[in-house]
Amino acid sequence: MERRHLAECGSTNTEALQHLREGGGPLLVSASRQTAGRGRLGRAWLTDQAGDDAALTFSVAMTLPADLDLSGLSLAVGCTVADVLDPAAGRIRLKWPNDLFLDGAKLGGILIETVPLPDQRRGVVIGIGINLQPLPTDVDRSTFASGHAALHTLDPAATASTTLDRLAPALRAMLADFETLGFAPWQAAFERRDLTAGQPVRVGEQPGIARGVSPRGELLLETAAGLLTLSGGELSLRLEKSL
Ligand code: BTN
């Protein structure tokens, strides 16, 4: 897979989507600084307040069959990242559908975007942001609704480039498997790290108890009306009580 590093860009996801629209092949693009990083649900992904390389920000671009079910892809990516950074599964947890938590605060997130392509293919971009260093003391923490955790707490020697070197081969292998097997092989791995399992949560306006995920990566929500099966897309999951 081609690798590119940019000192600065708006968003590595935008760079990767543009690359696919222009007919490009598999690409991993990282940046020391993003000026318009974005997260799910139209939120901004702010890393610039902490300085260059205070976070690892990168995107993987590839094409996949247009009919491949992507509903569990962000969970499989989350499992892969967590298994590389915390193999003992002691401290990194995953919050459906796209958040990485370390010791109860948000360590990183995953943003998957797609672009239609000819010939029954679909362009898929997986954007990953991981906080490496703690926020400087003068930064307004109220903009970080889920808190802010830094990988340095787990691995003080981690840099953007050493972390990317560890993640890239694992993600490549995971994507090859996902293309043929879908999410099912990661269901148990996700459940080992599931932050909200058994907890009272709210998905959009719907309250319930989180009951893990289906073999397709949908959230299972126990409600007064029975067990609901919800897929990622535009849904947000909140714990009723903070951690
Ligand atoms: C989220 O928490 O909602 C997802 C955050 C994803 C952030 C990464 S950083 C690299 C890539 N480029 C972006 O603009 N977003 C993703």
Side-chain angles (χ1 to χ4, degrees):
M1 182 180 298
E2 183 192 344
R3 259 170 86 159
R4 258 182 229 168
H5 181 77
L6 307 171
E8 179 177 303
C9 67
S11 154
T12 56
N13 265 34
T14 304
E15 297 287 328
L17 286 165
Q18 186 57 27
H19 171 82
L20 289 173
R21 283 193 193 100
E22 288 165 0
L27 171 72
L28 189 160
V29 55
S30 52
S32 291
R33 183 182 181 84
Q34 291 189 128
T35 54
R38 54 178 188 270
R40 278 180 75 244
L41 310 172
R43 295 179 186 133
W45 172 260
L46 301 171
T47 47
D48 48 338
Q49 300 175 70
D52 288 3
D53 284 320
L56 169 62
T57 52
F58 70 101
S59 302
V60 175
M62 86 218 86
T63 70
L64 289 171
D67 59 357
L68 183 69
D69 177 10
L70 298 183
S71 43
L73 181 57
S74 67
L75 308 189
V77 171
C79 290
T80 305
V81 172
D83 284 348
V84 168
L85 301 180
D86 173 34
R91 290 174 65 182
I92 297 185
R93 297 266 170 274
L94 300 171
K95 180 164 146 304
W96 184 92
N98 74 318
D99 286 340
L100 292 131
F101 275 66
L102 171 62
D103 302 338
K106 184 156 167 167
L107 172 71
I110 297 157
L111 175 66
I112 295 182
E113 297 181 296
T114 60
V115 55
L117 294 176
D119 302 328
Q120 318 295 323
R121 303 290 290 177
R122 173 158 57 178
V124 179
V125 168
I126 300 169
I128 301 178
I130 297 169
N131 303 320
L132 297 178
Q133 292 167 23
L135 286 173
T137 45
D138 57 343
V139 168
D140 176 9
R141 279 156 169 77
S142 65
T143 49
F144 296 86
S146 305
H148 183 282
L151 189 61
H152 273 199
T153 318
L154 196 61
D155 176 5
T159 66
S161 91
T162 58
T163 307
L164 188 54
D165 286 347
R166 292 170 68 202
L167 291 176
L171 286 168
R172 239 190 331 264
M174 175 252 130
L175 288 166
D177 287 343
F178 190 91
E179 182 166 352
T180 51
L181 303 169
F183 171 69
W186 285 275
Q187 186 181 5
F190 181 82
E191 284 175 355
R192 274 198 308 153
R193 296 188 188 265
D194 187 351
L195 182 81
T196 61
Q199 303 285 324
V201 296
R202 216 165 254 274
V203 183
E205 291 308 307
Q206 174 69 59
I209 306 288
R211 293 291 181 210
V213 295
S214 75
R216 293 183 55 212
E218 300 142 318
L219 180 75
L220 302 176
L221 186 68
E222 184 186 320
T223 71
L227 193 67
L228 303 184
T229 303
L230 304 169
S231 51
E234 295 302 302
L235 291 176
S236 85
L237 166 69
R238 295 186 312 280
L239 277 161
E240 289 285 19
K241 286 177 293 183
S242 56
L243 294 164

